[in-house]
Amino acid sequence: MPYVKRALPAAALLCISLSVCSPGTVLASSTPVLDRIRDTGTVHIAYRESSVPFSFYDANGKPVGYAMDLCLRVVDKLRTDLKRPDLKVQYVMVTPSTRMPAIIDGKADLECGSTTNNRERREKVAFTIPHYIAGIRMIVKSSSGIHKWDDLRGKTVVTTKGTTSVTELRKMNDVRVLNMKFIEAKDHAESFAMVEAGKADAFPMDDVLLYGFRANTKNPADYAVVGDMLTVEPYAIMLSKSDAEFKHLVDRAMTNIILDYEADKLYKKWFQQPIPPNGARLDIPMSFLLRDSFKYPSDKIAD
């Protein structure tokens, strides 16, 4: 098929420029992130050690991944917008507990991982346009005959202690009267091991994590990720809430990356082709939710 650039809706086209999107709007006079980037000539990117395939180490200990590639393309566009082709990138390792403080305290300018954009977090930080939409599904043995949630009636389900999936599953169990038997494991690895050993019929969790377990088994075809999404969790690059101009530049960069089909290419690279460090294939097709969101890029989230 010939290359066709995504058409930008008229409303979104107006919003490419803040001065057009909001007549009379004046950019914030305080631009702490942009000032820091200009002064240091460096963009600080926060990454995760093992958030496959979004942000993790390759075999050489280098941060790589889908979100990392997106962030590096954002930096390329910042070099053009700021007329600073010499901008350097410095990496900052973060964990789930340190990622938000890193952004809030100015230790990192962009957090490039698998962080969900939700109302609670937006009280402290900002997010750009989502690059992935995750949801709770379940992994089962391909021979189990389980294809949808109602197939779990009377089955044994393992969940990881302390996760949101526990609450969602118990709600579904009560509403649909499925009479499921629950087992709680200490971590995701133990939960999946119970399915492998036949001690549980299904392990529900964020779908992308389940595909990761499937890809790294000896025989991936022995397992399937099934069921409609119980939740919808948009992953997005996290940035400071204190710099509206910086956010505008990042939003515009992400819009261009998506509409120019760069995000599609990166999705195929990280979700449908062999990835480091072991050449595993996640084989995750792009969900209709993400595909539709890419048609009309927006940072607005329906919580």
Side-chain angles (χ1 to χ4, degrees), residues 186-198:
K186 64 180 180 181
D187 54 35
H188 296 332
E190 184 177 286
S191 292
F192 181 66
M194 288 188 176
V195 174
E196 286 184 301

Side-chain angles (χ1 to χ4, degrees), residues 15-51:
C15 288
I16 287 297
S17 169
L18 281 181
S19 60
V20 176
C21 180
S22 302
T25 297
V26 178
L27 290 176
S29 59
S30 176
T31 57
V33 179
L34 284 176
D35 287 347
R36 183 168 63 245
I37 290 173
R38 291 189 184 102
D39 291 345
T40 63
T42 304
V43 179
H44 293 79
I45 291 181
Y47 71 93
R48 300 279 295 279
E49 290 183 288
S50 57
S51 188

Side-chain angles (χ1 to χ4, degrees), residues 125-174:
V125 296
F127 292 89
T128 188
I129 298 162
H131 54 256
Y132 189 83
I133 298 178
I136 295 176
R137 299 179 69 197
M138 58 180 159
I139 191 165
V140 299
K141 288 187 176 180
S142 300
S143 59
S144 68
I146 298 172
H147 304 287
K148 56 185 184 299
W149 294 107
D150 284 352
D151 292 335
L152 293 179
R153 191 177 305 278
K155 303 289 187 180
T156 298
V157 176
V158 60
T159 58
T160 303
K161 187 174 183 179
T163 59
T164 56
S165 62
V166 178
T167 302
E168 295 299 326
L169 285 166
R170 292 191 181 279
K171 287 180 183 177
M172 181 184 66
N173 186 54
D174 293 341

Side-chain angles (χ1 to χ4, degrees), residues 63-75:
V64 297
Y66 174 57
M68 295 297 293
D69 277 359
L70 287 171
C71 277
L72 291 176
R73 279 160 175 73
V74 168
V75 172

Side-chain angles (χ1 to χ4, degrees), residues 78-208:
L78 287 176
R79 291 186 176 107
T80 300
D81 289 341
L82 299 178
K83 296 180 174 56
R84 289 292 303 269
D86 60 333
L87 280 184
K88 301 185 295 294
V89 170
Q90 184 168 324
Y91 296 108
V92 180
M93 195 276 286
V94 295
T95 66
S97 60
T98 64
R99 57 188 170 179
M100 285 183 62
I103 292 294
I104 295 170
D105 297 340
K107 296 178 181 178
D109 306 312
L110 301 168
E111 189 267 337
C112 312
S114 53
T115 301
T116 299
N117 175 354
N118 60 35
R119 183 185 294 109
E120 181 181 359
R121 287 173 177 156
R122 288 198 303 274
E123 293 178 358
K124 299 178 180 179
V125 296
F127 292 89
T128 188
I129 298 162
H131 54 256
Y132 189 83
I133 298 178
I136 295 176
R137 299 179 69 197
M138 58 180 159
I139 191 165
V140 299
K141 288 187 176 180
S142 300
S143 59
S144 68
I146 298 172
H147 304 287
K148 56 185 184 299
W149 294 107
D150 284 352
D151 292 335
L152 293 179
R153 191 177 305 278
K155 303 289 187 180
T156 298
V157 176
V158 60
T159 58
T160 303
K161 187 174 183 179
T163 59
T164 56
S165 62
V166 178
T167 302
E168 295 299 326
L169 285 166
R170 292 191 181 279
K171 287 180 183 177
M172 181 184 66
N173 186 54
D174 293 341
V175 171
R176 301 188 187 185
V177 194
L178 297 179
N179 296 315
M180 293 186 291
K181 178 183 177 182
F182 291 100
I183 300 176
E184 288 194 353
K186 64 180 180 181
D187 54 35
H188 296 332
E190 184 177 286
S191 292
F192 181 66
M194 288 188 176
V195 174
E196 286 184 301
K199 296 180 180 178
D201 298 297
F203 167 36
M205 187 50 58
D206 285 4
D207 53 1
V208 66

